[in-house]
Each structure stands twice: as structure tokens, then as C-alpha cells.
């Protein structure tokens, strides 16, 4: 199922209140006090592509990310939990509504403070392209912890939730949080970038054949990357004793990112004796976010995510 086809399920998705309401309570936190690491001489120009043909419904794709940032969505009754949301888009764009704003709505309704990560796209002229998204993810997680008191957040209850290529970035952060990818710029960089919990939804995991998503791989590493570089950037090869609990969701009919990605990661987590939960669904396709009709079992994944996050102590149990 394509992202465009998913618009047809809008009427069945109850978790989409007015975007204008959500934007009214927004804060934006730039990730870097000056130019981001590896900035090109000419910064990319921000572009917003409106994919939706439905009046009053946004489905925007972002490119030209010159100023990476966290967009804050506050809960009316915050419970101390925080989630950094990482949209996908094959490392070529960011699906900011489907995998950002719409996810924040159901999470803030549960009392979770959300931080939508707008990260740089590696093919837009940045030096060290393979590290650019991870630099932003590490910096974003550190800033959430460093400013936890400003947002009524418990710095020991900070989760991440990534989708598709954003799932690859979430997995990379969960496994490479301690890797030095940039020079420290201020006191926030002394704070841990390790998430306490990681949710990966239909994620790109492996950048090695046979089941990699070639577009994500080439956008991240470049079209002529080596086999060694691909293995280094494959999440399933980076599991260690510090990898946080991981929650995985995938549909077996995903024609874009094969479910073998999530299965490989789940097997690697089990082999390393790390806590993990995998939900494999028969139907759902790719890029479904929270737009599936209630009659599709995969639509239940947010409830399953919340239950497992509560089991690990990150989210509060459902009332």
C-alpha cells in the first residue's frame, strides 16, 4: 500500500484532531547553536510538498533541511514520559504529518510530551553524509534530557519512535548512541544520547542485500558505498549490552521494506539477550502510520506499543 493510497483510510482514523490546534502549542528547538556539522557552502532550501488532495488534511513531505530542530507537542496533562518522533522518507524527504504530527496526537492524549525530529537529509550537500542523520538524532535526544525540567519530562523516561528510514535512524540511535559522531558544542553534549526505549515501525534495518531498501541505503551512504560501510550502518550488526528495549511492528505484505528487516533485528536482539517485542501482521503494507481502518489488525499497534512501553516503565499504564 502506498502513502497516497493510505489517504483513502482517513475516515477510519479517529486519532486526527485539527492540525491548527496542535500547532498552537508548539515550541521549536534548533538542534545546533550555529551551523550544523559539515555544512555546505550553500545551504539547502526548505521545500514543503503537500501530498494530500483532501481539503483540511495535511500530508506534507519536507526537503531542504538547513536548520534541523525538535518541534515540541505538549500534553495537556503531562505524565513525565517523552517520545522523540523520527519520521521516515527513505532519507530523501521527511513524512512530517503521517509519521510526526499524527503520531504526536495519540501520544499527547496519553500524557506523553512529544518532540518531532526534523533531521538533515544526507544527500543535500553535507560532509560525512552517512553520519548526518545520526548526529541530529544524538543531539536531539541530548537536548531533550538537558532541558527535561523545562518540559516536565523525566530524563529517565525518554523513548524514541521511528518509521521506515526513520526506523533505521531510531535503530541506529539505539545501538550507536555512544558513538562520537560530532565535536561537542555545549554542555548538553555531556548528556547521554541513549534512549530508554525504542519503537521501530516498518523499519529499514539492514543496508546489505538481499532485503535492504536500496533507496534508503543509497541516500544515506551514497550510490557507490562499500560492503563494509553497508554492514557498519546495518542496525542488526550493532546490538550490544547497552541496547535499550526495542518494539517492532511490520506487515508481511510490505512491498517497500520487506518484513525480513524486522525479523533480522528481532533475531539479533534475542541472540544478544536484549528485551524486544515483535508484532508481525498479515496486512498493512508500508507507511500506514495510524491511518489503517480499525478492521485491520495492524491498526492496534499504538495500543501494543503503549502496553510494552508501560511494561518497561517508560509510559504510564492505561487507565
Amino acid at each position: 500500500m502506498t502513502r497516497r493510497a493510505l489517504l483513502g483510510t482517513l475516515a477510519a482514523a479517529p486519532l486526527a484532531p485539527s492540525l491548527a490546534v496542535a500547532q498552537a502549542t508548539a515550541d521549536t528547538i534548533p538542534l545546533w547553536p550555529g551551523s550544523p556539522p559539515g555544512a555546505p557552502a550553500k545551504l539547502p532550501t526548505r521545500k514543503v510538498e503537500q501530498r494530500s488532495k483532501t481539503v483540511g488534511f495535511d500530508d506534507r513531505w519536507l526537503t531542504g533541511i538547513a536548520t534541523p530542530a525538535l518541534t515540541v507537542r505538549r500534553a495537556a496533562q503531562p505524565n513525565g514520559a517523552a517520545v522523540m518522533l523520527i519520521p521516515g522518507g527513505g532519507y530523501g524527504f521527511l513524512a512530517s504529518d503521517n509519521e510526526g504530527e499524527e503520531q504526536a496526537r495519540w501520544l499527547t492524549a496519553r500524557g506523553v510530551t512529544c518532540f518531532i525530529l526534523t533531521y538533515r537529509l544526507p544527500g543535500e550537500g553535507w560532509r560525512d553524509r552517512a553520519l548526518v542523520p545520526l548526529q541530529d538524532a544524538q543531539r536531539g535526544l541530548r537536548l531533550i534530557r538537558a532541558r527535561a525540567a523545562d518540559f516536565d519530562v523525566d530524563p529517565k523516561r525518554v523513548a524514541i519512535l521511528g518509521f521506515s528510514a526513520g526506523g533505521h535512524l531510531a535503530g541506529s540511535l539505539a545501538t550507536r548512541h555512544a558513538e562520537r559522531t560530532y565535536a561537542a558544542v555545549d554542555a548538553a553534549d555531556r548528556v547521554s544520547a541513549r534512549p530508554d526505549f525504542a519503537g521501530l515501525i516498518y523499519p529499514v534495518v539492514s543496508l546489505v542485500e538481499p532485503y535492504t531498501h536500496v533507496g534508503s541505503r543509497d541516500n544515506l551512504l551514497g550510490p557507490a558505498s562499500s560492503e563494509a560501510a553497508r554492514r557498519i550502518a546495518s542496525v542488526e550488526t550493532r546490538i550490544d549490552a547497552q541496547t535499550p528495549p526495542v518494539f517492532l511492528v511490520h506487515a508481511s505484505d510490505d512491498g517497500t521494506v520487506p518484513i525480513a528487516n524486522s525479523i533480522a533485528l528481532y533475531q539479533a536482539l534475542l541472540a544478544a539477550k536484549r528485551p524486544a517485542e515483535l508484532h508481525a501482521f498479515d496486512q498493512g503494507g508500508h507507511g500506514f502510520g495510524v491511518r489503517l481502518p480499525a478492521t485491520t489488525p495492524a491498526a492496534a499497534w499504538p495500543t501494543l506499543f503503549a502496553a510494552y512501553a508501560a511494561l518497561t516503565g517508560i509510559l504510564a499504564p492505561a487507565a
Side-chain angles (χ1 to χ4, degrees):
M1 183 182 293
T2 65
R3 292 175 186 268
R4 186 181 297 276
L6 286 168
L7 295 176
T9 66
L10 176 61
L15 298 170
S18 167
L19 179 61
V21 173
Q23 287 179 328
T25 59
D27 293 295
T28 300
I29 305 171
L31 296 186
W32 307 96
S35 295
K42 182 178 180 181
L43 292 172
T45 301
R46 183 181 176 90
K47 295 179 182 178
V48 180
E49 180 183 354
Q50 177 62 269
R51 307 284 294 186
S52 173
K53 305 300 182 184
T54 304
V55 176
F57 176 69
D58 283 324
D59 189 24
R60 293 165 294 182
W61 289 6
L62 305 183
T63 56
I65 311 299
T67 306
L70 293 167
T71 300
V72 186
R73 297 292 183 241
R74 299 172 183 261
Q77 297 180 317
N79 60 23
V83 171
M84 185 169 75
L85 293 162
I86 308 180
Y91 286 121
F93 65 90
L94 301 183
S96 62
D97 290 300
N98 181 28
E99 294 163 354
E101 298 289 356
E102 292 173 28
Q103 307 305 321
R105 292 170 199 160
W106 70 266
L107 283 161
T108 54
R110 293 188 61 93
V112 179
T113 303
C114 291
F115 299 81
I116 304 171
L117 179 66
T118 300
Y119 56 93
R120 289 169 293 155
L121 301 172
E124 293 188 334
W126 306 94
R127 189 176 65 249
D128 298 327
R129 65 185 292 163
L131 293 179
V132 161
L134 184 55
Q135 291 170 345
D136 289 347
Q138 288 180 340
R139 177 71 179 170
L141 205 292
R142 287 174 172 136
L143 286 175
I144 292 169
R145 281 217 173 93
R147 296 189 54 183
D150 296 341
F151 299 101
D152 296 319
V153 164
D154 180 347
K156 297 180 180 179
R157 295 169 60 205
V158 181
I160 56 176
L161 183 57
F163 302 79
S164 193
H168 179 268
L169 181 51
S172 297
L173 181 60
T175 55
R176 300 170 65 185
H177 49 85
E179 182 178 329
R180 182 172 178 175
T181 63
Y182 63 91
V185 296
D186 56 28
D189 288 321
R190 294 195 292 268
V191 177
S192 172
R194 179 186 181 272
D196 297 301
F197 182 88
L200 281 60
I201 314 302
Y202 41 84
V204 175
V205 170
S206 182
L207 300 189
V208 178
E209 301 291 354
Y211 49 81
T212 187
H213 181 249
V214 173
S216 295
R217 182 195 70 195
D218 290 354
N219 282 333
L220 179 63
L221 303 179
S225 58
S226 68
E227 187 74 6
R230 295 172 183 182
R231 290 192 178 279
I232 288 170
S234 293
V235 179
E236 78 279 14
T237 70
R238 307 304 296 266
I239 309 300
D240 63 20
Q242 296 303 310
T243 301
V246 174
F247 174 89
L248 291 156
V249 168
H250 225 119
S252 59
D253 66 347
D254 189 330
T256 302
V257 178
I259 194 172
N261 282 266
S262 285
I263 293 172
L265 180 55
Y266 185 60
Q267 290 175 328
L269 289 160
L270 293 182
K273 295 181 169 51
R274 301 308 301 152
E277 186 162 295
L278 167 64
H279 294 274
F281 293 96
D282 179 47
Q283 298 178 20
H286 188 74
F288 47 79
V290 288
R291 296 177 180 177
L292 291 172
T295 53
T296 302
W301 77 260
T303 300
L304 299 170
F305 170 86
Y308 190 52
L311 185 67
T312 62
I314 303 305
L315 300 189

